[in-house]
Amino acid sequence: MALLRAAIKNCLALLAVMLALAAPGQAATFSMKRGISLDNWVTWPPEDKWGDADVILPFPEWRRTVDGTALKALKADGFDFVRMPVDPAPLMSDAAAGLRDRLFADVLQSVRLANAAGLKVLVDLHTIPWGDDRSVSTEKLLTDPALFERYLDMLRRMASTLSAEDPQRVALEIFNEPTSGCGADDRAWPELAKRLFAAARASATRLTLVIPGACWGDAEGLSRLDPAEFPDRNLIWSFHSYAPFLISHQGADWAGDVATYAAGIPYPPDSVPPEAFAAALDTIRARIRAEAPLVRRSGILSYFDEQMEAIASPGKLRAVMEKPFATVDAWAETHGIPKEDIFLGEFGMIRQEYGKPVVTEPQWRAAYARDMIEIAEKHGFPWALWSYGGAFGVVESYEGEKAEPDVLRMIRGLAE
């Protein structure tokens, strides 16, 4: 019986691919230009609470603080779409089994709420990278074949849930930031991506599907995918860029043992007098010497200095920021991918690490977002800023508190 079910699924996937190949046109059905990602994991409860409707609903989590009025405000700010992260873990966990139908229904309701506000919606299946305290994480999905099969089943149901929606207003991102595939000859992610694509397409023949590259969804990871292995024109290809990483993730405890000490790097460096920039770096070095583990201290200092030297002039900084886009540009030219079908799925600068008092200067964040948008649009790529709230919040910070308006003010200026 299991073999029969597998054969039926494979036949459906093949039929979906044939229908896609027969469709007219060269570009994806779903189009987008300027977007923002909504929230995920800001106040997420532990897994043993997921069966409690009062705890887990409404779903996704951003619905607790974002309503139709707030979504209409995003439209007025100049965004034409939202990237809607959905943590698939509750959709797969036994702890939430009794609420599973309601969770899928809530996702659909959330999509329609954003559409009603005049925004297109990209539903983004967005797992937490690691987590020993939960049954589903990115790392576990990519290393546990049985869990991956369950993810495929969840993906089929999500695609089916969205399949009747207007394909010009709704699209589906099949996975977020696979943590594997960082080696040039690593075929693990391309093979898994093909299975994800087939599963989603079998359940949603009209929806545009968004496919990320390997290695945390970066440009190099995308460049190692061969579009010919995905015989479908109704696709959008995604990459993320936070370059330079120490600037965009300064102070983030979860971003490595260098970023955690690096809060206070001005952006751009020449926006402050040279002596002020040097003083900021000296403050960070002093923090490393005082707080970093002795066994790692020398290496952290060396890496920090190396990264700061790489952006020591405006030209060097621009080259670091341009490099991922040039990589994707070359890949697109090689494979004949329309630029509008390539998506800068995430970028942004941290506002405040959870539990830390330091808040990044809002004018630095606005300047960084402006420069990344300029580069993306120069290359013809649509983009989604990360994110509405939380550590990188541009509208909210935590628990619905408002963030500084500088980034949104800059976005409004683009619209004008």
Side-chain angles (χ1 to χ4, degrees), residues 44-51 89-90 92-96 133-136:
W44 199 239
E47 186 164 356
D48 61 4
K49 304 293 185 184
W50 292 357
M92 300 170 61
S93 171
D94 291 339
D133 60 340
R134 53 168 41 210
S135 60
V136 179

Side-chain angles (χ1 to χ4, degrees), residues 70-113:
L71 291 168
K72 288 177 182 177
L74 291 178
K75 177 69 173 178
D77 287 331
F79 298 107
D80 63 285
F81 77 100
V82 288
R83 181 172 179 252
M84 194 178 95
V86 175
D87 186 350
L91 303 174
M92 300 170 61
S93 171
D94 291 339
L99 293 172
R100 191 161 294 149
D101 291 347
R102 175 68 186 275
L103 295 176
F104 278 99
D106 261 22
V107 171
L108 182 58
Q109 183 183 42
S110 300
V111 167
R112 291 174 175 173
L113 181 68

Side-chain angles (χ1 to χ4, degrees), residues 1-11:
M1 183 61 70
L3 289 175
L4 177 60
R5 284 198 299 268
I8 292 172
K9 288 177 180 177
N10 288 335
C11 288

Side-chain angles (χ1 to χ4, degrees), residues 13 25 38 43 75 233 294 374:
L38 299 171
T43 57
K75 177 69 173 178
R233 289 190 289 267
L294 181 60
E374 178 185 309

Side-chain angles (χ1 to χ4, degrees), residues 330-407:
W331 174 82
E333 292 292 336
T334 298
H335 297 287
I337 306 296
K339 299 298 178 63
E340 63 269 24
D341 290 349
I342 299 173
F343 172 47
L344 175 59
E346 284 186 21
F347 68 99
M349 180 185 281
I350 193 169
R351 178 186 177 273
Q352 182 184 23
E353 171 66 300
Y354 186 78
K356 284 188 174 182
V358 178
V359 176
T360 305
E361 293 290 340
Q363 67 270 21
W364 300 350
R365 302 180 67 222
Y368 179 82
R370 178 201 63 215
D371 289 350
M372 289 292 279
I373 289 168
E374 178 185 309
I375 296 170
E377 295 192 346
K378 180 186 72 173
H379 286 269
F381 302 151
W383 50 263
L385 183 63
W386 184 269
S387 62
Y388 188 94
F392 284 68
V394 301
V395 182
E396 297 178 351
S397 55
Y398 294 103
E399 304 294 343
E401 293 294 321
K402 293 298 182 185
E404 299 79 7
D406 299 57
V407 178

